[in-house]
Amino acid sequence: MTNTYHATPYDISAAGFYFSSYDDYLAKAADHRNDYGHLVEEFEIQFIDGDAFALFDALKVNQATLSTWFEHFEDLDEDDAHKAIYLASYEGCTMDQILERLDDVHLFEGTAIEYAESYIEETGLLDQIPEGLRFYFDVEAFARDLQLGGDITVIEIAGQSYVAQG
């Protein structure tokens, strides 16, 4: 689906315009004039319709970052978009930093307890403990300790819980 955007002039004597690509924006903005015939130079960029609102909002896309948005972010797949949202919203990364760190982020879809259960199973953490004692291991406390120790961060993106490592 093609995303739709609106360039709203800060000049109250000018009307805005819709666009769907960076070239479309450049073409319309190049000769956009207010009611007095003066060239409009500054716009607020708004996301109107499409699939990428959460990412657009997290990145706080504006006129200065619009070309980077179209070049690197608009067409990200869902997994990479969620990673970028995490980096922007929870780590405070800029667009350039996100591009550098995107491949280093690992998101687990689920709760902290589900992550802890998966971690225990994958690493064999309890294999050294006799089977009769394994029932005494408190997975909820382990998950809580992972969070409190900063080993994991629980986040919510588009109504879904994720666990980010480190």
Side-chain angles (χ1 to χ4, degrees), residues 3-103:
N3 295 319
T4 304
Y5 308 91
H6 190 265
T8 305
Y10 288 110
D11 181 342
I12 61 171
S13 68
F17 59 86
Y18 292 95
F19 62 97
S20 58
S21 69
Y22 191 59
D23 290 337
D24 188 20
Y25 166 79
L26 289 175
K28 290 177 179 176
D31 195 34
H32 197 72
R33 303 206 175 262
N34 65 15
D35 292 342
Y36 306 104
H38 299 123
L39 189 63
V40 177
E41 296 178 0
E42 296 178 340
F43 299 93
E44 175 187 0
I45 307 301
Q46 301 172 340
F47 190 96
I48 300 299
D49 189 32
D51 297 330
F53 173 74
L55 179 58
F56 185 89
D57 187 48
L59 295 175
K60 299 182 181 359
V61 177
N62 58 49
Q63 190 174 358
T65 60
L66 192 59
S67 65
T68 304
W69 164 258
F70 279 109
E71 187 175 339
H72 297 288
F73 291 98
E74 186 188 37
D75 294 325
L76 283 181
D77 64 37
E78 186 177 22
D79 290 339
D80 283 345
H82 289 166
K83 291 176 187 180
I85 291 169
Y86 163 72
L87 288 169
S89 299
Y90 294 90
E91 296 289 324
C93 293
T94 64
M95 286 182 164
D96 291 336
Q97 292 168 330
I98 291 169
L99 292 172
E100 291 172 9
R101 295 182 53 192
L102 198 60
D103 292 334

